[in-house]
Amino acid sequence: MAGIYIHIPFCKQACNYCNFYFSTSLEHKNEVIGALLQEIEERKDFLSNEKIDTIYFGGGTPSILSADELEKIFDKLNTRFDINSGAEITLEANPDDLSKEKLRALKQTPINRFSIGIQSFIDADLKYMNRAHNSKEAIDCISRTQDTGFENISIDLIYGTPTLSTEDWVKNIEHAVDAQVPHISAYALTVEQNTKLDILIKKKLLAPVDEIKSSEQFLIMLDLLEAKHFEQYEISNFCKDEQYSRHNSSYWKGINYLGIGPSAHSFNGEYRSWNPSSNMKYVQGVVGGKDYQTMEILLPHDIINEQIMTGIRTKWGINLEILQQKYGKEIVEEIHFNLQENANKNWYIIENNILTLTREGKLFADRIASDLFFDSTEDGELFSL
Ligand code: SF4
């Protein structure tokens, strides 16, 4: 089983914090769709005839596309790939795109899951982020989506903004729980270099992010969602009744995926490749038959580090026994040795050879993972960093 990711690189307006690839001009939308169809046509072999279990439209804002435009993409996918009849097919959507009419039209397509970019139910917060919707649209669009017959809905939230008091963060979580969606993704606001947010903060036109408040809000969220029977299966992802995002879980489990569209990444166990983050370069590359992809052959340490980085964030953890079987006893001994630095901090547990993080450890996941990273010599011999 494998997955397909399709990047739709258009947005109505630019959110301050965003560092994904997108354009706010729709001028070249038809050319990009044409190139997407051609890329689907040409890249069938990347997944070596594996059956497709998940399709994910991300962006950008995929809900900018009409149902007809999405149908064209499905038609092409169906001619080139063997898609599982129970495949999870997700569309990322923004609240202001989900009108009744649009939802009814989308119900006629194979889409069976929505990931809605709510981010906050608080207007001041949405304004700080420069989102295109307001709090009323955030609330209304969820019930409209459910009323149209879509049950498998995830909503995205962001915490740690200076405009979000802890009381408001509690309200945001309560709204999300009351909306009766089975899946919530919640991310700490991070200020990526050269984003509009970064520039505005540096110019003192917007307040900076308070890391301590952000950590507090993370821990509050864990308690509130656990009390409402949401399982935290990845640091930023929570669901009810094991309704995990199958697509994202397959990334974390190292399953192969094909990425279509500008800036999309692909992975097939041996190498990773990615498309240019430019609509023009992408279209010229695909349509003009030029070599437009960048490719990286994965070395043993790349594969191990990826397993460490993703595994440590999930409830499935890092399986030390499997690492030992694949890469040898010394590798696992190195991991134990490098963990010692944090041994008295109650950040991790190892049970049945599975390493997972504790509640406190989840605040330091990136740092703990990087302490465990490996490099390799030209001969492929692994050594810890
Ligand atoms: S809608 Fe999503 S992709 Fe578009 S600018 Fe906002 S965060 Fe970025």
Side-chain angles (χ1 to χ4, degrees):
M1 290 286 190
I4 296 180
Y5 171 83
I6 300 179
H7 191 84
I8 307 299
F10 301 104
C11 292
K12 279 187 193 160
Q13 78 181 43
C15 304
N16 286 338
Y17 56 89
C18 183
N19 73 340
F20 296 118
Y21 176 67
F22 66 92
S23 161
T24 49
S25 159
L26 299 186
E27 204 189 327
H28 300 292
K29 187 168 72 141
N30 289 341
E31 286 138 275
V32 170
I33 293 174
L36 291 177
L37 299 176
Q38 189 172 330
E39 192 186 1
I40 293 169
E41 177 94 33
E42 289 169 356
R43 294 196 65 202
K44 180 184 189 306
D45 293 341
F46 185 83
L47 295 174
S48 316
N49 293 326
E50 280 185 82
K51 205 162 184 150
I52 304 303
D53 190 47
T54 63
I55 298 173
Y56 192 101
F57 289 86
T61 310
S63 54
I64 265 183
L65 297 191
S66 68
D68 286 347
E69 287 166 333
L70 287 161
E71 283 289 13
K72 271 189 203 159
I73 297 175
F74 284 120
D75 287 347
K76 182 59 77 181
L77 287 169
N78 277 318
T79 63
R80 306 304 285 166
F81 294 93
D82 182 8
I83 301 170
N84 181 4
S85 59
E88 175 192 272
I89 303 180
T90 306
L91 185 85
E92 279 184 359
N94 275 347
D96 44 309
D97 287 330
L98 297 178
S99 65
K100 245 189 215 169
E101 298 67 38
K102 180 76 173 267
L103 282 161
R104 276 199 213 115
L106 292 175
K107 190 74 186 134
Q108 306 309 314
T109 71
I111 290 156
N112 54 26
R113 183 173 185 272
F114 275 93
S115 171
I116 308 180
I118 298 288
Q119 317 311 357
S120 178
F121 296 98
I122 312 288
D123 278 326
D125 219 17
L126 292 167
K127 211 168 162 208
Y128 176 88
M129 294 186 253
N130 200 37
R131 295 289 299 174
H133 64 276
N134 59 32
S135 58
K136 187 172 179 329
E137 282 172 311
I139 292 169
D140 292 349
C141 81
I142 300 172
S143 44
R144 266 201 309 276
T145 308
Q146 289 164 326
D147 290 346
T148 317
F150 292 103
E151 287 169 6
N152 198 353
I153 298 172
S154 176
I155 61 175
D156 282 359
L157 295 176
I158 289 181
Y159 57 91
T161 53
T163 37
L164 185 73
S165 66
T166 296
E167 294 73 41
D168 283 342
W169 178 229
V170 172
K171 278 190 211 155
N172 267 351
I173 295 171
E174 286 170 352
H175 275 309
V177 171
D178 290 347
Q180 304 206 334
V181 291
H183 193 283
I184 297 171
S185 300
Y187 303 95
L189 180 72
T190 47
V191 184
E192 304 290 347
Q193 271 204 345
N194 298 325
T195 55
K196 202 167 159 205
L197 185 60
D198 182 36
I199 294 162
L200 291 171
I201 290 174
K202 280 180 181 152
K203 286 186 176 168
K204 301 199 186 319
L205 293 170
L206 277 183
V209 174
D210 177 344
E211 303 285 344
I212 294 172
K213 190 171 86 171
S214 184
S215 299
E216 282 167 7
Q217 292 183 348
F218 173 75
L219 295 175
I220 287 169
M221 167 175 70
L222 299 195
D223 293 339
L224 289 177
L225 289 178
E226 190 182 347
K228 296 294 179 184
H229 311 293
F230 276 85
E231 179 190 12
Q232 186 186 25
Y233 68 102
E234 196 267 350
I235 285 188
S236 306
N237 286 280
F238 304 79
C239 70
K240 278 195 162 170
D241 307 323
E242 301 188 349
Q243 294 188 63
Y244 311 121
S245 159
R246 273 158 53 191
H247 187 81
N248 289 344
S249 300
S250 62
Y251 288 152
W252 304 324
K253 290 178 182 170
I255 290 170
N256 297 343
Y257 58 87
L258 169 65
I260 300 286
S263 79
H265 284 230
S266 304
F267 166 80
N268 71 356
E270 282 171 34
Y271 66 90
R272 196 186 306 285
S273 66
W274 57 96
N275 291 345
S277 295
S278 152
N279 284 348
M280 202 192 281
K281 283 187 189 153
Y282 172 72
V283 171
Q284 284 171 351
V286 177
V287 178
K290 290 188 194 132
D291 197 5
Y292 61 96
Q293 285 159 5
T294 311
M295 200 174 104
E296 175 187 46
I297 305 277
L298 296 171
L299 297 169
H301 72 267
D302 294 320
I303 297 169
I304 295 190
N305 291 348
E306 182 85 22
Q307 287 172 14
I308 290 172
M309 201 166 61
T310 52
I312 210 163
R313 294 178 60 89
T314 71
K315 72 162 196 161
W316 300 285
I318 302 171
N319 189 323
L320 298 175
E321 198 170 317
I322 292 181
L323 280 188
Q324 179 159 327
Q325 282 162 13
K326 280 192 185 161
Y327 305 104
K329 202 164 103 216
E330 295 74 22
I331 294 303
V332 173
E333 282 171 359
E334 294 264 14
I335 289 179
H336 281 290
F337 180 79
N338 289 330
L339 279 169
Q340 276 173 18
E341 201 179 319
N342 300 318
N344 57 359
K345 290 183 181 143
N346 185 31
W347 281 355
Y348 65 89
I349 43 176
I350 300 177
E351 257 174 22
N352 300 324
N353 262 326
I354 310 261
L355 167 65
T356 52
L357 296 182
T358 60
R359 189 174 183 277
E360 290 69 32
K362 286 170 185 166
L363 286 168
F364 303 99
D366 292 345
R367 177 174 149 189
I368 299 167
S370 69
D371 283 349
L372 307 181
F373 282 170
F374 289 86
D375 202 343
S376 51
T377 61
E378 277 181 13
D379 307 331
E381 197 182 320
L382 289 156
F383 59 92
S384 68
L385 286 171

